[in-house]
Amino acid sequence: MTKGGPVAPEHPTPTPGRRDPEGRRRAIIAAAAELIVEGGAASITHRAVAARAGVSLGSTTQYFSSLDELRDAALHSLAEGVDLELAQVAAAIEPLDSAPERFAALMHEFLVNQRQVRAEIELMGLGVTDARLRAVARRWTDRLTEILTPHVGRPAAEAIAVHLDGVTVHAGLHDEPIPVADMARAIRALMTIPHPEGSDPR
């Protein structure tokens, strides 16, 4: 399980043949995503992406007329796995009230992967500075809140999702993420936040 879905392949997609223009485009996006994970969005240049993807410099400018367009495509690629991954989360947390430890273990799987953590933090930072990317950057937090709300109510769901955003940043600043047991204890405590009077979180 990965919080932000598949970030980018460990090895760039092999360069497609001339008869596969869509494959070339995917390879370029995958290469750009990998560079973002390694060095941030500022590391994106047409030349660097072309070299990583194993295509000509002209191919990158053929498919993406500007660096902003290429960067945005790469960032959307980084976020595309979110819905599939969250579907796995939704299935794994049943029932959340009796097994927050299982949910915490799923989150810990993401946090031990520094590549994934860097990608998520990069998305957060770009969402702060670029309003166009805010919805992409918030996709995981917003969708997780929706998944948790039927189990614990909206206030607790929002608190848990925000807590996990903080845990992600913590993992990026330390050699090791917060232990599973500590995460589970925090999640269990946040689950006790009362939902609005008269409403039923289930």
Side-chain angles (χ1 to χ4, degrees):
M1 211 290 299
T2 56
K3 180 171 177 274
V7 190
E10 292 285 354
H11 302 287
T13 305
T15 306
R18 294 179 178 275
R19 296 173 184 260
D20 186 12
E22 183 55 33
R24 281 200 301 279
R25 185 177 187 277
R26 288 195 302 269
I28 291 168
I29 293 174
E34 185 70 17
L35 288 170
I36 288 175
V37 172
E38 292 177 1
S43 64
I44 295 292
T45 67
H46 283 296
R47 189 174 300 280
V49 172
R52 177 61 63 94
V55 300
S56 67
L57 180 59
S59 292
T60 64
T61 56
Q62 174 186 354
Y63 290 102
F64 302 98
S65 59
S66 69
L67 285 177
D68 283 344
E69 184 183 350
L70 176 53
R71 183 200 63 175
D72 290 357
L75 289 169
H76 279 82
S77 175
L78 292 178
E80 274 180 356
V82 170
D83 289 339
L84 288 176
E85 296 292 343
L86 284 173
Q88 296 178 21
V89 171
I93 65 175
E94 293 280 4
L96 178 62
D97 54 359
S98 65
E101 291 78 13
R102 185 166 61 247
F103 178 47
L106 285 171
M107 297 299 102
H108 194 270
E109 286 183 29
F110 160 75
L111 294 169
V112 297
N113 187 327
Q114 279 296 310
R115 294 176 69 257
Q116 300 282 12
V117 169
R118 287 197 301 270
E120 184 64 23
I121 293 174
E122 185 70 21
L123 282 171
M124 289 180 185
L126 289 169
V128 170
T129 58
D130 190 337
R132 296 174 307 145
L133 299 174
R134 201 153 290 164
V136 176
R138 291 176 48 183
R139 186 186 303 182
W140 187 89
T141 303
D142 291 346
R143 179 68 183 116
L144 179 62
T145 300
E146 293 175 5
I147 290 172
L148 294 175
T149 293
H151 298 274
V152 298
R154 184 78 182 185
E158 290 178 340
I160 292 170
V162 170
H163 169 69
L164 291 172
D165 280 345
V167 168
T168 300
V169 174
H170 179 279
L173 296 173
H174 296 77
D175 292 335
E176 295 183 359
I178 293 173
V180 174
D182 292 347
M183 262 197 288
R185 185 162 49 249
I187 291 169
R188 189 181 288 280
L190 292 170
M191 287 167 54
T192 66
I193 295 175
H195 52 83
E197 186 176 352
S199 66
D200 183 352
R202 303 184 192 287

